[in-house]
Amino acid sequence: MPAPLPFDPIAEAARQWSTHWDAAAVPPMAAVTSIMRVQQILLARLNETLAPHGLTFSRYEALMLLFYSRTGSLPLGKIGVRLQVHQTSVTQLIDGLERAGLVERSPHPTDRRATLASITARGRDAARVATEDLNEARFGTDPLERSELEALIATLERFRRAAGDFVTDA
Amino acid sequence: MPAPLPFDPIAEAARQWSTHWDAAAVPPMAAVTSIMRVQQILLARLNETLAPHGLTFSRYEALMLLFYSRTGSLPLGKIGVRLQVHQTSVTQLIDGLERAGLVERSPHPTDRRATLASITARGRDAARVATEDLNEARFGTDPLERSELEALIATLERFRRAAGDFVTDA
DNA sequence: GAAGATTGATGAATCAATCTTT
DNA sequence: AAAGATTGATTCATCAATCTTC
């Protein structure tokens, strides 16, 4: 990590914004910049925790999807839809997990276009141990407390729903 | 963007977590996953707004740093510290901005190791117009309102400070 | 023609290694 | 030795194009 700044760069940007633009423009800019920076910090923490397990956070997400699937295997396409990443990314992700011996490819039994990714026994071990580590580290969210996290989740859930990320009957 | 899911993937993950792990483990996982997903959505929106200006959000951030600097130029190293990205990333970022004619490199006047990046007249135009567009689009934060954004900013500011992102006298 | 997956390209981030200058 | 910047390699995201199968 680089050296800390002697001032909050987001507060500084907000100051510039309020000087040159309408006051209403400040919160959107500051919120977006905050989310970008926090995401960067969280990702670094998560990858640090996962590195000893030979995992990155992206690969961990794909692995957990298989881990909690009913049969332990899913078509690559479904993985992409569920993780909301491009098909190309799924190919790369499964490539990496397969090289690490945590996942195996197999032909889809009925659709010969499709490929299944299946979690291996070693993959299940890695998923369990890595998740224990991440939970132990509270997914890097320290020092935020449960109430703060819940408020965050609720606001971001409203945003995600409005963005068309998912639809529910309710 | 891929098709929307018929359920909230984060609520689904929370359900799995509460089945297999301690209840206290749910909010950290759900908050982190939410931030990752929202960051992904916001970045896509921002890049969509910036693409007509020949900019990506990363390049926009670097450009704005120069735009609001006193002399319109900064050493590459300072840009990296300020944006909290690796020196290699700064080199690439300035490469892209230079190719677009928005920034120019020049030797540092006193330290012959260092390189200055200076914003050009075209760069200033691009910075102004792109910022107008981003402010117009509220930086992609719809439908979140000012109060929600301010709460978000405050919580994330607490996290960033604790993470050592910056230090202030107060 | 459309769906599922892969390959090859680019953008953005990192790390390791290198080179010049301090 | 340390600082500033660049190059080369790797990971992860995207898009465009391709190939097989439906």
Side-chain angles (χ1 to χ4, degrees), chain B residues 56 58-59 86 88-89 92 111-113:
Chain B
T56 61
S58 296
R59 290 180 189 173
H86 202 266
T88 309
S89 304
Q92 292 175 162
D111 187 343
R112 288 199 299 177
R113 292 172 303 179

Side-chain angles (χ1 to χ4, degrees), chain A residues 13 35 49 51 63 82 85 102-103 108 111 115 155:
Chain A
I35 288 170
T49 301
L63 189 65
R82 181 60 187 272
V85 296
L102 308 180
V103 157
H108 188 107
D111 187 342
T115 302
T155 300

Side-chain angles (χ1 to χ4, degrees), chain B residues 63 67 72 100-104 118-129:
Chain B
L63 189 65
F67 185 64
L102 308 180
V103 156
E104 282 176 350
S118 309
I119 189 168
T120 64
R122 285 191 48 208
R124 289 195 181 276
D125 290 341
R128 260 185 293 267
V129 179

Side-chain angles (χ1 to χ4, degrees), chain B residues 26-106:
Chain B
V26 172
M29 181 279 295
V32 166
T33 311
S34 299
I35 289 171
M36 296 292 171
R37 180 65 188 133
V38 167
Q39 188 266 352
Q40 185 183 11
I41 294 169
L42 285 172
L43 191 58
R45 289 183 177 182
L46 295 166
N47 283 332
E48 202 171 336
T49 301
L50 290 170
H53 304 291
L55 287 170
T56 61
F57 188 63
S58 296
R59 290 180 189 173
Y60 171 78
E61 286 187 296
L63 189 65
M64 291 311 289
L65 203 55
L66 294 171
F67 185 64
Y68 282 137
S69 68
R70 243 176 319 173
T71 65
S73 56
L74 290 170
L76 299 202
K78 283 235 195 269
I79 296 176
V81 171
R82 181 60 187 270
L83 298 181
Q84 297 285 102
V85 296
H86 202 266
Q87 292 182 334
T88 309
S89 304
V90 179
T91 297
Q92 292 175 162
L93 244 33
I94 301 302
D95 280 352
L97 289 169
E98 201 169 24
R99 272 195 303 271
L102 308 180
V103 156
E104 282 176 350
R105 274 184 171 83
S106 60

